[in-house]
Amino acid sequence: LFYIVEIESNNAYSREMSKDDKEKIKEQIKNRINKYERYYDIKKIIEAPLLIKEHELKKIEYFYRKFPDRLKAITERKIRGLNEADKLKKLWARNDGKLPERSDMYILAQAVKLNSLCINGINRVAIFSDDNDFCEFSNEIGEKFNVKIYPL
């Protein structure tokens, strides 16, 4: 079973796909999730909210800090074409391009935490996303945290 952590749709990574194709894929994923939800409801399995502590988030931050040039390039692609106000918001959220947005790091921290819980019947947690903060680091994330990234 894969824990679907996030699906984003406004990213340069998957622009080669048409909007209709993206929507069809998302619908297929949602249908598969709904099919297994009655058997594998994460809230029932872990019986507690999946809260992330600051030190858990720091592990993710330290991981990403090893790749400043790649993160800067991703940020430049993400702000291309935005108006000045939106550029400033994105740069602020990404610590001037030095880190992914906090919400993305939180999602990865949740997946890492789920992996560490040793839940019966779940071997590995995965993230399905078209966000470059995940997709461009898929090998490194897999090696460091044992979280599989499936690009959309």
Side-chain angles (χ1 to χ4, degrees):
L1 171 72
F2 294 114
Y3 175 56
I4 309 304
V5 182
E6 180 180 61
I7 299 171
E8 293 186 10
S9 62
N10 296 327
N11 203 298
Y13 184 81
S14 63
R15 285 195 180 149
E16 67 273 5
M17 294 177 68
S18 73
K19 192 172 183 175
D20 288 340
D21 288 340
K22 285 184 195 179
E23 293 305 315
K24 286 177 187 174
I25 290 170
K26 286 181 188 178
E27 192 61 36
Q28 288 174 346
I29 292 171
K30 287 178 186 176
N31 288 340
R32 289 180 189 168
I33 292 169
N34 290 335
K35 178 181 173 184
Y36 293 104
E37 189 173 37
R38 62 182 167 257
Y39 302 110
Y40 299 105
D41 184 352
I42 294 298
K43 290 175 189 166
K44 289 178 185 174
I45 292 171
I46 63 172
E47 297 177 0
L50 193 59
L51 301 176
I52 301 302
K53 296 180 179 159
E54 193 61 30
H55 75 277
E56 294 169 312
L57 199 57
K58 285 289 182 195
K59 288 180 187 177
I60 306 302
E61 185 178 318
Y62 292 142
F63 165 78
Y64 276 113
R65 286 197 183 274
K66 297 176 192 173
F67 309 101
D69 295 335
R70 288 168 67 185
L71 287 166
K72 195 74 166 169
I74 290 169
T75 300
E76 288 171 6
R77 287 194 307 267
K78 286 186 175 199
I79 64 172
R80 192 177 304 137
L82 297 178
N83 64 44
E84 285 304 310
D86 290 340
K87 280 183 186 180
L88 290 173
K89 285 180 196 173
K90 183 64 81 174
L91 285 170
W92 180 81
R94 295 179 63 79
N95 194 17
D96 288 326
K98 297 174 190 157
L99 289 169
E101 293 172 44
R102 187 171 175 88
S103 60
D104 290 341
M105 291 191 293
Y106 195 88
I107 289 165
L108 182 54
Q110 285 181 316
V112 170
K113 189 169 190 168
L114 276 173
N115 263 348
S116 70
L117 294 177
C118 300
I119 301 168
N120 190 22
I122 298 178
N123 298 324
R124 188 176 192 187
V125 176
I127 298 173
F128 287 73
S129 179
D130 65 354
D131 188 319
N132 288 324
D133 293 319
F134 297 121
C135 297
E136 289 195 21
F137 298 94
S138 61
N139 291 335
E140 294 89 345
I141 290 170
E143 290 171 11
K144 175 75 175 172
F145 302 114
N146 194 32
V147 173
K148 177 74 174 156
I149 304 296
Y150 287 98
L152 294 177

